[in-house]
Amino acid sequence: MNRIATLLFLFAAPSFAQAQGALFERAQTGPSPNLRAVAERVRVTIDHQYAETVLEQEFENTSGARLEGRYLLRTAGATVEGFAYWNGEQKIVGEVFEKQQARNLYENVVGRRRDPGLLEQIGEGSFAFNVFPIEPRERKRVEVRFGQRLAREGRTMQYRLTLGGGESDVVAEISDPHPILRIDSQSHRLDTERLDARHARVRAFAGPSGTRDLIIDVEVNADPWQPTAVVHRDPGQDPYLVLQMAAPATVAASEVSRKDVTVVIDRSGSMTGPPMDQACAAGELVVRRLRRGDRVNVIAFDHTVDPLFTKPQPVETARDAALQFIHRIRAGGGTNIAAALDAALRAQHGGTEPHIVLFLTDGQSDSESALRVAHDDRGDTRVFTFGLGSEVEKALLSRLASTKRGRFTYVESPEVIEQRVGRLFDQIESPALVGLSLEARGATLLRTYPRTLPDLSAGDDLLVASRVMGAPGSQLELVVHGTLGGRQVSYPVSVTLPERASHPWAGRLWAKSRIDDVLEEMALTRDPPNELKDEVIELGLAYDLVTPYTSFLAVPESELAGEQALTLAQMREQRAKVVAANADAAALSRKNMPPGDPLLTVNAPRDALQVTAYFPFGLVRDLKWDDHLEKWTLRFLVPVGVADGDYEAMVVIVRRDHTIELAKAAYTIDSKEPEFEVDAAQAISGVHVRVIAAEPARRVTVALARDPRQRIELAGDGRVFEGDLPVRGTLRVVVADMARNETSREVEPR
Amino acid sequence: MIAALLLAAIFTDTAQVESIATAGATLWAATGGGVERYDLATGKRVRVHTIGPTLRIWSNDQNGQIAHARTRDSECILEGETAECIAAPALPPSIPSVTPLFHGARETARVVANGTTVVATAGKGIWSNDQMLTPPGQICGNYVEALAEFQGKLWVGGFDGGLCVLDGQRFRAVAGPFRMINDLRTTPKGLYVASAEGLYFTRDGRRFRREDRIRERAVNHLAVGGRWLFATTPFALYAVRLDGRIVKRWRKPAGSTALQSVAVSGPNLWLASEDVGVIRMRRGRFEAYDRAWGLPSSWTVDVAPASDGGVWAATLRNGSVHLDANGRVIELGPDPHAWGLRLYQDRGRTLFGTQQGLEGIEGLPDPHVHAILRTRDGLWIGTEGGLVLLDDA
């Protein structure tokens, strides 16, 4: 059965993402006494709620025998973005290749002195690769890189990582568009360096309890319901957009919507025993938690469909009947998901309150029919699907949910059905902002995920990823519309599409969504066309993502025989072609540098062979590694006399594996004094001054020329500034532009 | 005006080699410290033309007596002991390329000449048949940002080249956890190093301790007044008692987020900022004097105490200005278009280092004057093209 990555994390309700990496002996199922975690180094970058983690761990073989290890990385919704291991001092870095090619080369090389590493996905959120050999007393280092989005609950987001043991060196760099109010940890002592209001660097030290779970809480000063937009763009490419919006941690009762809830329970023969008991318990839990004003219905189905009511009824009068109906459900029969879904969607009232269907099933059914039912339904019912057990049709349930504003939850065993349903119900029982839609003006959104926007309850967090078609410099206006407490509301955010902007994770996030969508499509299609699989492979190669068709392969090239080396070269060539065709993805590994900054910083691996900057005025300089910033840095100054304009320095990065990247550092020279118009009119209370700047101004100051202590900074929108100064006499007006160029003029008020 | 000055010595670093040219047994090298001429037969450096950071060199003279060189904005003819330069347009950008490493540094050129293989590198000098030709003991970088006298010796802080000390006639690199040095200040207790990596202190000149109570990393200027060391970062002013026991911090003085420099003058502390002009601290209160106040510019880059308890301030592009202790503008410097860099009080006068040079001094390897220091040896001037000692006794 195909393993399909779920879309659950895209609609992430407030939940923490956690990850853990450990090295085991291959033959064993649990921790080995022969492999001891010695040290680990964790570097986390949290940018706009996206956490990129580089986890470097060192393990020691404490036995007298050579061992074969298996490194396991378990993540909850994280995306693996890279891995490497060391042979002595030599770092072997993984590259993404088509899965079969990677495996073929791996099988060819394995068994020589030193095995390559092949990182593959082995389960939901689980990745592994073998490590061989680990000599007696050898210390083996491995590195994995992964990214995960941190959902925000109200103002707070949480980062979690289970540390492997041994000595830990943890540094996190946090950036957010909102001022950071608080950074603390329940688990570790933090040493926080505030770089500015929106940027901090944190070093974590183990607390006295020695807990292995690292938890970092970050609270930001964000207004509730206020969306933020992040754009990543490489020059000449369509940008990526990530829009995020967090609900407040609590909402007023007046803002909680009444709702209709229909519980649909599969009673097919395969549900016999614990699955049936647990499903019924979960249904009963939901019914009991409904509030005054809500309405309820229950539908049981196998190959036939039996609803309790024709439409949901007020819970005050219907609760007991619903509980009894659930209690009497017995398993037996086949599975007809389409019919059950159709019945649930038809049995709804009109009205604006949310209509919610909770659909629990463990079976497989005719996908086409079920999808047709969902597509044909013109109502706005939210369908939340729960897939029970390993045989369930995950792709179908996931697509049904995404089509109908809901979420899909995979429940791996009957024991946790009630818990999972209960947890989801915690999130949806108080829908606050409902009927969401996203409007875009000024540019076109393409391939936007999720396909439909879910309702948001207290503590919920919305994530939308999209490609954008729009020229640099154009203004993209986004508006999230919805209903809050019965009122129509709109939450706007606007962003200027830049020529270039560096948040590569936004591209990866979109690519992952796209891959998940294509995989789902493949699972739902009887004979999926090859183009779909090819697209998954291309996206995996271009964005360095592990998929069912791509893997990371790290090969110690010294171990390759002639033909194998040729094969590897051919694989790299093929990958380079794909990357070139997805040029914006290749640029994701580049980092842009802020214009005008005399400190050039470049994100490149510490062990890069060369990082060299070529400046437009003929200067060529090598950057040096900065241990604190953990970047390559160079100070440079632009010579006096360089004409105003936009410039670029090219940066060549040669990685240890001899792959080459080209980055660009853009900066702007602006020495022109700003021009402005000023009107100063005497008024009763003093002087009213209005200044119109010809270009965006940073600050406008007006002072009394004979006593400059009497002054005011005018308020404005960047172009037009106004204010009143309670003085009489000649004024000195000073305008400073964004580059801090200044002009001043003395004026006599009229 | 400084009169009758002699350049007693010029120190440059020629390890950054941009290009080379050979003519017979003569090797010419364009380096960050000027143009070198070597005799390949003996392996000795014959001459250094300190014309500033040089980017290209070529020679059509088979006798090896004449060469042409390009700096950023001039073209020079080098003949014998002389170098004549004229203004020239900026060079086009180099084409990015991947080159091998040689002794850990990027290889910039390789030729076979006079029976030897000559390799030029960016940072490790010139090699001939795997023997280094570039003389050792050179200054740690041509871009001199800071100077101090400590332990009876001259200490040099580089813009991007770390710290070194002049021992006799040779420089010795001093290992430290910093590379981008902004200022050096000697106190009775030891030497403070203000760097982009933080504020460091050493008693013995070998071991450096970071002052962790300075929260920000980039420390850009230092001043000593009484029992206190004052330090600026872009966002804050710090006062560190010289015994190390107390540290005080003032965040965003007068609202500035771009502090550049600090000076003590009488009872007042003065700050230069890029955004709000000159700031005076008196009895713990800050007051800013900017263009609206009457300064030629709010963008100031350095301050130095004036004899009247006021201050001289250097602006970025509009010369210098003298304020009295109450912030009144007393006078403007002679050149209202000078691009200011550094002010220095020397024997009762204020020296103004600019991007156009230091008034009255010719022959500097580069016109950008970033550091000035008087010792018993004379007046030291740090530029972007090397360090100069003036004998103005």
Side-chain angles (χ1 to χ4, degrees):
Chain A
M1 176 176 143
N2 288 336
R3 287 287 184 180
I4 310 295
T6 69
L7 287 169
L8 178 63
F9 83 99
L10 279 182
F11 317 120
S15 66
F16 29 78
Q18 187 160 358
Q20 178 180 10
L23 184 64
F24 304 97
E25 268 189 83
R26 192 167 171 194
Q28 301 189 5
T29 51
S32 163
N34 298 322
L35 280 173
R36 180 178 73 95
V38 175
E40 65 196 331
R41 188 169 172 276
V42 182
R43 294 293 178 266
V44 185
T45 306
I46 301 176
D47 173 30
H48 285 74
Q49 293 177 239
Y50 192 84
E52 289 178 301
T53 304
V54 180
L55 173 62
E56 187 184 311
Q57 295 172 295
E58 193 174 21
F59 302 90
E60 184 181 9
N61 176 1
T62 59
S63 74
R66 172 188 279 189
L67 297 181
E68 181 175 7
R70 186 155 173 81
Y71 185 85
L72 279 175
L73 175 70
R74 290 196 187 91
T75 74
T79 306
V80 172
E81 297 171 0
F83 93 104
Y85 68 96
W86 277 258
N87 283 340
E89 288 306 307
Q90 187 191 15
K91 185 177 181 183
I92 317 295
V93 177
E95 304 166 75
V96 175
F97 296 109
E98 191 273 323
K99 183 168 186 164
Q100 198 51 53
Q101 284 182 342
R103 179 147 279 281
N104 288 346
L105 184 59
Y106 174 81
E107 300 288 356
N108 264 325
V109 177
V110 82
R112 289 176 167 263
R113 281 187 315 129
R114 291 183 180 276
D115 281 359
L118 182 68
L119 184 140
E120 295 175 310
Q121 188 167 358
I122 58 169
E124 292 290 339
S126 294
F127 304 84
F129 65 93
N130 295 337
V131 182
F132 179 79
I134 311 173
E135 303 292 358
R137 310 294 169 209
E138 183 186 1
R139 289 194 170 191
K140 201 73 176 174
R141 268 195 292 167
V142 299
E143 177 187 278
V144 284
R145 302 158 59 94
F146 51 91
Q148 58 200 145
R149 182 177 172 269
L150 308 181
R152 183 153 58 89
E153 186 171 338
R155 292 176 158 192
T156 306
M157 66 188 109
Q158 188 176 79
Y159 174 87
R160 292 178 80 118
L161 176 70
T162 299
L163 300 172
E167 213 173 296
S168 292
D169 169 19
V170 180
V171 175
E173 199 159 314
I174 302 164
S175 303
D176 201 88
H178 308 99
I180 298 173
L181 294 176
R182 171 181 66 90
I183 304 172
D184 57 33
S185 171
Q186 315 157 25
S187 61
H188 286 64
R189 182 174 64 81
L190 300 183
D191 181 7
T192 304
E193 182 185 348
R194 289 297 189 107
L195 300 168
D196 59 49
R198 291 168 173 79
H199 188 192
R201 189 177 293 123
V202 171
R203 196 171 279 274
F205 301 91
S209 62
T211 178
R212 286 174 54 196
D213 279 343
L214 169 68
I215 301 170
I216 298 178
D217 289 307
V218 180
E219 184 183 355
V220 297
N221 189 9
D223 291 331
W225 303 119
Q226 183 53 47
T228 60
V230 173
V231 172
H232 172 75
R233 179 184 217 146
D234 293 292
Q237 304 298 329
D238 289 333
Y240 302 85
L241 167 75
V242 168
L243 180 135
Q244 302 181 93
M245 185 164 84
T250 56
V251 294
S254 59
E255 291 180 335
V256 174
S257 204
R258 289 189 299 185
K259 58 192 178 292
D260 288 353
V261 176
T262 301
V263 182
V264 182
I265 300 177
D266 182 350
R267 62 176 180 197
S268 59
S270 55
M271 291 283 286
T272 305
M276 191 77 258
D277 296 338
Q278 285 287 320
C280 290
E284 287 171 8
L285 171 86
V286 168
V287 171
R288 285 202 184 88
R289 288 179 58 174
L290 292 173
R291 301 171 186 218
R292 180 187 292 279
D294 294 339
R295 292 185 289 206
V296 65
N297 196 5
V298 184
I299 296 176
F301 78 97
D302 44 37
H303 56 281
T304 62
V305 182
D306 288 323
L308 172 61
F309 305 117
T310 54
K311 286 186 192 309
Q313 297 300 309
V315 71
E316 294 87 345
T317 53
R319 195 190 309 264
D320 287 344
L323 290 170
Q324 285 172 26
F325 184 87
I326 293 171
H327 188 68
R328 288 200 296 267
I329 293 175
R330 297 288 179 266
T335 310
N336 190 338
I337 291 176
L341 181 64
D342 189 46
L345 293 176
R346 283 175 190 277
Q348 299 295 334
H349 296 282
T352 57
E353 61 280 322
H355 306 146
I356 296 171
V357 170
L358 298 180
F359 202 107
L360 292 83
T361 181
D362 75 336
Q364 300 187 0
S365 188
D366 175 13
S367 304
E368 279 184 41
S369 304
L371 286 173
R372 199 176 317 117
V373 165
H375 282 126
D376 290 348
D377 176 59
R378 292 284 161 251
D380 198 19
T381 303
R382 286 79 162 150
V383 177
F384 293 85
T385 54
F386 292 84
L388 316 175
S390 60
E391 298 305 313
V392 72
E393 184 82 47
K394 282 192 214 166
L396 169 62
L397 297 181
S398 176
R399 181 58 63 86
L400 288 177
S402 66
T403 304
K404 301 302 290 179
R405 287 187 187 273
R407 297 172 204 169
F408 166 61
T409 304
Y410 173 61
V411 184
E412 61 274 17
S413 70
E415 292 77 28
V416 297
I417 294 174
E418 190 178 344
Q419 179 198 80
R420 295 290 172 81
V421 171
R423 189 186 297 167
L424 178 76
F425 199 70
D426 286 342
Q427 293 155 2
I428 66 173
E429 73 172 319
S430 307
L433 189 65
V434 302
L436 272 70
S437 64
L438 178 62
E439 181 190 352
R441 293 191 288 258
T444 305
L445 301 187
L446 305 167
R447 289 195 169 158
T448 304
Y449 303 102
R451 290 164 171 255
T452 56
L453 301 187
D455 299 329
L456 297 181
S457 304
D460 265 353
D461 178 282
L462 174 70
L463 168 70
V464 176
S466 181
R467 298 301 299 268
V468 183
M469 213 161 63
S474 53
Q475 192 79 1
L476 172 61
E477 309 274 346
L478 298 160
V479 185
V480 178
H481 297 285
T483 305
L484 182 69
R487 301 175 286 119
Q488 292 294 314
V489 292
S490 299
Y491 300 105
V493 62
S494 68
V495 62
T496 305
L497 297 182
E499 181 80 42
R500 58 179 64 83
S502 183
H503 301 279
W505 57 265
R508 246 182 230 115
L509 206 59
W510 176 84
K512 184 72 170 57
S513 311
R514 176 70 189 153
I515 287 171
D516 289 344
D517 193 65
V518 173
L519 289 173
E520 202 173 80
E521 189 66 33
M522 289 173 67
L524 292 169
T525 310
R526 205 187 308 269
D527 286 312
N530 285 337
E531 290 81 37
L532 292 180
K533 179 182 168 187
D534 289 344
E535 184 177 352
V536 173
I537 294 173
E538 282 201 12
L539 289 169
L541 294 182
Y543 293 82
D544 280 347
L545 294 170
V546 175
T547 73
Y549 305 107
T550 54
S551 309
F552 270 101
L553 176 67
V555 180
E557 292 188 50
S558 55
E559 301 297 316
L560 296 181
E563 196 178 309
Q564 292 158 348
L566 183 62
T567 301
L568 181 62
Q570 288 168 344
M571 285 162 65
R572 282 182 174 151
E573 197 183 321
Q574 185 200 13
R575 177 167 174 256
K577 283 186 185 150
V578 169
V579 166
N582 288 269
D584 50 353
L588 292 177
S589 59
R590 306 178 214 159
K591 303 292 181 191
N592 286 340
M593 287 139 282
D597 191 335
L599 182 69
L600 184 64
T601 60
V602 173
N603 277 325
R606 181 192 202 128
D607 59 358
L609 298 175
Q610 176 185 339
V611 182
T612 306
Y614 294 77
F615 291 92
F617 39 90
L619 187 67
V620 180
R621 279 290 177 271
D622 297 301
L623 283 72
K624 294 191 176 72
W625 176 258
D626 184 310
D627 272 328
H628 182 89
L629 294 176
E630 295 184 344
K631 295 179 185 177
W632 293 79
T633 63
L634 170 72
R635 280 219 288 202
F636 76 101
L637 283 185
V638 177
V640 169
V642 173
D644 283 5
D646 293 326
Y647 295 87
E648 265 181 0
M650 306 293 289
V651 180
V652 171
I653 303 164
V654 181
R655 293 175 179 263
R656 184 150 286 276
D657 62 2
H658 300 282
T659 55
I660 298 161
E661 291 176 53
L662 200 58
K664 291 176 192 172
Y667 56 93
T668 301
I669 306 300
D670 175 10
S671 62
K672 186 169 155 296
E673 291 183 353
E675 293 173 359
F676 65 95
E677 295 168 11
V678 57
D679 178 60
Q682 210 71 52
I684 296 171
S685 56
V687 179
H688 181 77
V689 183
R690 189 165 190 265
V691 170
I692 301 175
E695 61 181 275
R698 168 193 289 264
R699 186 168 64 207
V700 176
T701 310
V702 178
L704 186 63
R706 68 169 186 274
D707 181 11
R709 278 198 178 89
Q710 298 195 56
R711 61 170 57 197
I712 185 177
E713 257 188 54
L714 300 187
D717 62 2
R719 286 288 183 96
V720 180
F721 295 79
E722 283 189 84
D724 296 289
L725 192 58
V727 297
R728 291 193 179 275
T730 305
L731 302 179
R732 184 176 297 138
V733 180
V734 180
V735 174
D737 68 13
M738 305 309 282
R740 294 203 179 118
N741 299 307
E742 280 179 326
T743 316
S744 62
R745 199 183 302 164
E746 296 201 353
V747 296
E748 286 293 336
R750 56 179 172 80
Chain B
M1 184 171 172
I2 303 172
L5 296 169
L6 292 174
L7 295 185
I10 301 179
F11 300 91
T12 64
D13 169 34
T14 59
Q16 180 87 16
V17 185
E18 305 289 348
S19 76
I20 55 178
T22 56
T26 299
L27 170 71
W28 297 91
T31 80
V35 173
E36 297 177 302
R37 188 172 141 210
Y38 289 87
D39 180 348
L40 285 175
T42 61
K44 296 282 183 230
R45 188 169 73 174
V46 174
R47 181 163 308 285
V48 181
H49 295 275
T50 51
I51 59 173
T54 312
L55 302 172
R56 303 276 188 274
I57 188 81
W58 67 98
S59 173
N60 299 320
D61 173 28
Q62 289 307 311
N63 296 323
Q65 295 299 310
I66 302 173
H68 295 257
R70 274 300 316 264
T71 66
R72 202 163 50 210
D73 47 21
S74 63
E75 181 167 331
C76 305
I77 298 176
L78 311 164
E79 184 172 0
E81 296 183 13
T82 63
E84 285 187 21
C85 299
I86 56 172
L91 286 170
S94 298
I95 298 170
S97 61
V98 177
T99 52
L101 298 178
F102 189 84
H103 287 277
R106 182 171 48 88
E107 190 176 299
T108 54
R110 178 184 284 257
V111 297
V112 177
N114 205 47
T116 63
T117 300
V118 178
V119 180
T121 69
K124 288 284 170 70
I126 292 182
W127 299 71
S128 167
N129 285 348
D130 223 26
Q131 295 293 315
M132 190 169 170
L133 297 185
T134 303
Q138 298 193 67
I139 192 171
C140 48
N142 293 299
Y143 196 139
V144 176
E145 187 68 28
L147 298 166
E149 190 171 13
F150 176 58
Q151 296 176 332
K153 299 189 171 100
L154 179 77
W155 290 67
V156 178
F159 179 71
D160 199 21
L163 187 64
C164 53
V165 58
L166 183 59
D167 241 330
Q169 285 298 305
R170 288 162 67 120
F171 283 90
R172 170 173 55 83
V174 177
F178 38 69
R179 178 162 54 91
M180 304 174 196
I181 296 173
N182 297 317
D183 201 7
L184 298 170
R185 196 66 48 167
T186 309
T187 72
K189 300 284 184 185
L191 177 70
Y192 281 92
V193 180
S195 73
E197 294 88 348
L199 178 67
Y200 291 86
F201 174 75
T202 179
R203 267 189 227 285
D204 59 8
R206 287 181 290 114
R207 290 167 297 184
F208 294 84
R209 171 180 59 79
R210 190 171 190 278
E211 176 52 74
D212 287 328
R213 291 171 293 181
I214 307 288
R215 292 186 212 177
E216 299 87 25
R217 284 194 82 210
V219 182
N220 50 30
H221 208 250
L222 303 170
V224 174
R227 295 183 301 162
W228 297 89
L229 173 89
F230 296 95
T232 49
T233 71
F235 276 86
L237 165 70
Y238 287 85
V240 182
R241 210 163 78 174
L242 290 180
D243 61 8
R245 289 197 186 151
I246 299 175
V247 172
K248 298 183 191 177
R249 179 177 187 256
W250 296 269
R251 188 171 163 272
K252 294 191 193 176
S256 173
T257 58
L259 299 177
Q260 289 292 301
S261 179
V262 58
V264 177
S265 182
N268 299 321
L269 188 79
W270 296 90
L271 303 165
S273 79
E274 286 185 5
D275 50 359
V276 302
V278 176
I279 303 167
R280 184 194 69 193
M281 181 172 105
R282 178 188 278 177
R283 293 192 206 102
R285 297 184 60 171
F286 294 96
E287 186 157 6
Y289 308 98
D290 57 4
R291 185 152 173 172
W293 178 262
L295 263 63
S297 170
S298 302
W299 193 325
T300 58
V301 295
D302 198 16
V303 280
S307 53
D308 59 357
V311 72
W312 276 94
T315 69
L316 178 70
R317 295 194 283 250
N318 300 98
S320 58
V321 58
H322 174 196
L323 287 77
D324 71 8
N326 294 315
R328 273 199 308 266
V329 175
I330 301 299
E331 64 178 301
L332 298 176
D335 182 359
H337 303 296
W339 287 57
L341 286 173
R342 185 66 64 211
L343 291 162
Y344 183 74
Q345 285 299 320
D346 180 51
R347 295 176 174 175
R349 66 188 174 211
T350 304
L351 300 181
F352 186 24
T354 73
Q355 298 201 35
Q356 295 100 333
L358 185 60
E359 191 185 6
I361 300 179
E362 292 180 2
L364 294 177
D366 181 274
H368 303 79
V369 174
H370 290 272
I372 308 170
L373 179 73
R374 164 80 57 190
T375 70
R376 62 177 179 278
D377 296 318
L379 189 69
W380 296 91
I381 300 171
T383 75
E384 289 181 21
L387 176 67
V388 165
L389 174 63
L390 294 185
D391 181 1
D392 61 347

